């Protein structure tokens, strides 16, 4: 695992985008794994800049997003479909038919039957098959939760898990409630790539910034490999880069660190 500590968020975002851009130049039909959340926003802004100013070409890449809420329509401003359009896809020349984001809407299925719904299971199998059909994800961008989660794989998620439905923790539901007009709208479930799915990407690029991530980064990089910190599975990956700012690296042992 390569741990690179950057001066600040801008430097990290620039370096992250450079890595993605260099992989795209080496392989124009790169299969790129994308993440939502506040952390990759700077990297996406930088990719947009490279498209506009340097002619970075997205026309042949294929993208797979990690996760999506269930029951939140794609046009809702809290859906990950909306997030990706707004923060990246609307500003680059990606081919819309090359974009994969887990489907969040399943008609009028009752929430109580979500967890065992065959339509959702079918979708998850199809998503995994599509990743395989494209030859697997070449490089996967990841954030990390303050509790060590990756995508919606909360602590306790099997390290071998595949794309599936997950019940959101009460804390996540509570944290999200401020973004929705009513309590009924707040999603209780999500579809997420599993830890096992993520680990099959050929390369992983995990981004972490701010002191709120320092404990999670320490557990992920130096702690035991445990389902209680799903990001610790990265220790088993042959090509994992962890990029942080100084605050998120504050609790790491200095010997592991390369300065970017
Ligand atoms: P953040 O979320 O980038 O908004 O901090 C990361 C995550 O929870 O995976």
């Amino acid at each position: 695992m390569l741990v690179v500590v950057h001066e600040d968020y801008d430097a990290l975002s620039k370096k992250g985008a450079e890595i993605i851009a260099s992989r795209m130049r080496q392989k124009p039909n790169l299969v790129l794994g994308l993440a939502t959340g506040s952390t990759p926003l700077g990297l996406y802004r930088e990719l947009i800049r490279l498209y506009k100013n340097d002619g970075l070409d997205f026309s042949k890449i294929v993208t797979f997003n990690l996760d999506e809420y269930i029951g939140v329509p794609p046009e809702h401003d809290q859906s990950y479909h909306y997030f990706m359009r707004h923060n990246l896809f609307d500003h680059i020349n990606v081919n819309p038919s090359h974009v994969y984001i887990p489907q969040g809407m399943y008609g009028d299925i009752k929430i109580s039957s979500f967890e065992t719904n065959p339509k959702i299971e079918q979708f998850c199998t199809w998503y995994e098959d599509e990743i395989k059909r494209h030859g697997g994800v070449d490089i996967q961008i990841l954030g990390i939760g303050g509790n060590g989660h990756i995508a919606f794989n909360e602590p306790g998620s099997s390290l071998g898990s595949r794309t599936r439905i997950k019940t959101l923790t009460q804390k996540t539901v509570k944290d999200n409630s401020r973004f929705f007009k009513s309590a009924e709208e707040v999603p209780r479930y999500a579809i997420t790539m599993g830890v096992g799915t993520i680990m099959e990407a050929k390369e992983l690029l995990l981004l972490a910034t701010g002191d709120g991530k320092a404990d999670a980064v320490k557990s992920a990089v130096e702690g035991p490999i445990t389902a209680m910190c799903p990001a610790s599975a990265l220790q088993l990956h042959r090509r994992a880069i962890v990029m942080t700012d100084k605050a998120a690296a504050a609790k790491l042992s200095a010997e592991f660190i390369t300065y970017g």
Side-chain angles (χ1 to χ4, degrees):
M1 183 184 283
L2 177 64
V3 182
V4 189
V5 183
H6 292 276
E7 192 57 36
D8 55 25
Y9 182 68
D10 280 353
L12 173 145
S13 301
K14 252 192 147 117
K15 188 65 202 173
E18 259 172 43
I19 292 174
I20 302 297
S22 82
R23 303 298 182 269
M24 284 173 59
R25 291 191 184 104
Q26 282 159 10
K27 184 180 176 189
N29 61 346
L30 190 82
V31 181
L32 175 59
L34 296 169
T36 51
S38 53
T39 314
L41 283 173
L43 185 155
Y44 294 157
R45 275 196 292 272
E46 186 59 20
L47 285 179
I48 294 165
R49 197 191 65 74
L50 289 171
Y51 164 69
K52 293 194 168 144
N53 298 353
D54 291 1
L56 185 65
D57 182 17
F58 292 81
S59 65
K60 294 194 179 65
I61 67 161
V62 177
T63 68
F64 283 92
N65 264 79
L66 289 168
D67 46 13
E68 176 59 290
Y69 293 124
I70 288 186
V72 181
E75 59 279 6
H76 192 291
D77 64 6
Q78 292 304 317
S79 76
Y80 290 171
H81 280 74
Y82 181 95
F83 177 100
M84 290 311 303
R85 281 199 305 275
H86 188 70
N87 293 304
L88 185 64
F89 298 146
D90 282 353
H91 313 285
I92 56 173
N93 67 335
V94 70
N95 180 337
S97 71
H98 294 177
V99 166
Y100 290 80
I101 304 177
Q103 178 185 324
M105 298 303 285
Y106 295 88
D108 56 359
I109 300 173
K110 288 203 179 50
I111 290 210
S112 56
S113 64
F114 270 165
E115 277 168 90
T116 52
N117 193 280
K119 273 196 196 165
I120 295 180
E121 279 175 25
Q122 245 172 39
F123 175 82
C124 293
T125 306
W126 176 82
Y127 204 68
E128 293 263 342
D129 288 347
E130 285 300 290
I131 294 174
K132 283 197 200 92
R133 190 170 71 79
H134 286 91
V137 172
D138 289 306
I139 181 164
Q140 175 69 55
I141 298 168
L142 294 168
I144 182 170
N147 62 3
H149 75 207
I150 44 175
F152 269 123
N153 299 288
E154 298 288 2
S157 295
S158 159
L159 300 184
S161 52
R162 312 302 310 185
T163 302
R164 69 209 182 292
I165 184 167
K166 282 291 285 181
T167 308
L168 304 183
T169 60
Q170 282 187 353
K171 183 174 182 316
T172 304
V173 173
K174 192 163 164 275
D175 288 350
N176 282 344
S177 58
R178 67 184 190 281
F179 299 122
F180 293 85
K181 286 193 202 87
S182 64
E184 293 75 60
E185 264 190 54
V186 184
R188 269 33 178 201
Y189 300 90
I191 286 187
T192 181
M193 280 191 206
V195 181
T197 319
I198 292 168
M199 288 290 287
E200 281 174 11
K202 290 163 202 137
E203 190 173 10
L204 301 176
L205 179 62
L206 184 140
L207 312 175
T209 56
D211 52 11
K213 300 291 172 71
D215 285 317
V217 167
K218 182 170 175 66
S219 302
V221 173
E222 299 176 4
I225 297 168
T226 165
M228 294 315 290
C229 176
S232 65
L234 267 67
Q235 293 175 38
L236 293 171
H237 199 281
R238 290 170 64 194
R239 290 188 75 192
I241 306 174
V242 174
M243 288 186 24
T244 76
D245 63 1
K246 285 187 170 163
K251 297 194 174 167
L252 289 176
S253 307
E255 293 92 313
F256 289 107
I257 299 173
T258 318
Y259 290 92

